[in-house]
Amino acid sequence: MEIDAETALLAVLGHPVRHSLSPVMHNAGFRARGRNCCYLALDVAPEDVPAAVTGLRALGALGANVTVPHKEAVLPLMDEVSPVALAAGAVNTIVVRDGRLCGDNTDVGGFIASLAEVGFDPCGRGALLFGAGGAARGVALGLLRAGAGPIWIANRTYRRAVDLTDSLQGAARPGPDGAGAVTPLALEAVPAVAARAALVVNCTSVGLGPTAGESVWNDFACFRPGTLAVDIIYKPPVTPFLRAAASAGLPTLGGLGMLVHQAALAWEVWFGEKGPVDVFYAAARRVLGGD
Ligand code: ATR
């Protein structure tokens, strides 16, 4: 659709942001669904985040996505925050509604939707997460809301695993057989609990940037056959973490599904309808495949 005086503005705010797949996905979606919208990638320095976010309102933008490293910083700038964004402590989707900035989080639901797409229901099942940063918090929260448990948070820095576990206790509802329970774990202790997990997820940044080519965990023999190994990193499609899991015979899932589904759920926030998942996959793969 041609950009004209009616075109609504959306954007992703990040730093850096030039690598983002969101513009190609959303703009392909707008073309497919005939929406008169335009989606840009805007590189916003940390000190400019308040001005950029209030600028969305001033410009009459429809909304925005927020990506690394601003997801936590924008939360206190919102007029309203959804319960899931509040629990995650992070906003990845903003909608400007009647001049009010409303913050939401579709990463949490996007992760669970990507599991559903491959037929994995986390309800009542054990999950072992590597990492204790913002990404691990979102994944853990999604799993808890879906009824998973027990959940183990394994991290290089044990103290951070304890802190994340403590802060998730509000969302955790321990029941029989450890369902809903969250426990911190040192990396050395992973083999001792691995057999109780039906899901193992890399939520660390290992495999990205300076650690591209590395995996936070390589010995998957301690997991039961059939345990689903997930990496939320989507580039490359098969990360070293997933390669190691696959070589131990485990089924694997990359991070592209989470990216696509968080985008589809962002449409629900902006437009009240889910975005076109197939169009998003095709657009993202076109760019990733061209690397
Ligand atoms: P995010 O908010 O994206 O999750 P983060 O808060 O920087 O990012 O967290 C990065 C995660 O990757 C942390 O769990 C970090 O472990 P530490 O808490 O010990 O720093 C983990 N991580 C990063 N590099 C790592 C490495 N080389 N080995 C193991 N874990 C690593």
Side-chain angles (χ1 to χ4, degrees):
M1 186 168 280
E2 201 183 340
I3 291 177
D4 62 17
E6 298 286 330
T7 304
L9 174 65
L10 290 134
V12 54
L13 316 181
H15 184 69
V17 81
R18 293 294 157 231
H19 63 284
S20 174
L21 293 178
S22 292
V24 292
M25 289 196 300
H26 288 294
N27 287 316
F30 300 152
R31 282 192 298 277
R33 291 268 175 94
R35 286 197 172 274
N36 191 358
C37 298
C38 171
Y39 189 111
L40 302 175
L42 303 177
D43 195 326
V44 178
E47 62 271 23
D48 292 327
V49 166
V53 169
T54 49
L56 292 171
R57 175 171 35 215
L59 292 169
L62 197 155
N65 282 133
V66 183
T67 190
V68 178
H70 301 325
K71 292 182 191 185
E72 286 89 4
V74 301
L75 194 147
L77 304 170
M78 298 292 107
D79 297 310
E80 283 171 38
V81 179
S82 73
V84 63
L86 202 58
V91 164
N92 85 319
T93 303
I94 298 171
V95 62
V96 187
R97 207 177 276 136
D98 301 326
R100 292 172 65 75
L101 294 165
C102 306
D104 212 327
N105 186 309
T106 68
D107 288 329
V108 173
F111 176 73
I112 299 301
S114 77
L115 294 183
E117 194 175 41
V118 296
F120 185 93
D121 179 0
C123 188
R125 308 178 81 179
L128 196 151
L129 275 45
F130 288 102
R137 165 182 287 280
V139 167
L141 194 66
L143 290 172
L144 285 169
R145 290 165 68 98
I151 294 176
W152 292 275
I153 308 281
N155 198 46
R156 172 180 64 178
T157 310
Y158 180 68
R159 184 68 237 172
R160 286 190 80 197
V162 173
D163 290 345
L164 177 57
T165 301
D166 287 349
S167 74
L168 285 167
Q169 291 309 326
R173 287 197 187 75
D177 301 331
V182 189
T183 310
L185 211 61
L187 290 181
E188 308 80 70
V190 166
V193 303
R196 295 175 62 199
L199 181 71
V200 52
V201 190
N202 176 37
C203 309
T204 73
S205 51
V206 183
L208 283 176
T211 53
E214 294 176 28
S215 173
V216 68
W217 192 256
N218 288 296
D219 176 18
F220 286 85
C222 52
F223 290 91
R224 263 179 305 167
T227 300
L228 179 64
V230 182
D231 198 332
I232 63 170
I233 296 172
Y234 58 82
K235 190 180 163 185
V238 182
T239 60
F241 181 86
L242 296 182
R243 195 171 311 117
S247 69
L250 302 186
T252 62
L253 177 66
L256 188 60
M258 178 178 178
L259 180 81
V260 160
H261 284 281
Q262 65 76 30
L265 293 172
W267 274 47
E268 240 169 50
V269 177
W270 297 326
F271 308 122
E273 67 161 7
K274 216 168 150 223
V277 165
D278 294 352
V279 173
F280 292 166
Y281 268 119
R285 288 198 173 112
R286 209 162 42 239
V287 175
L288 289 171
D291 279 351

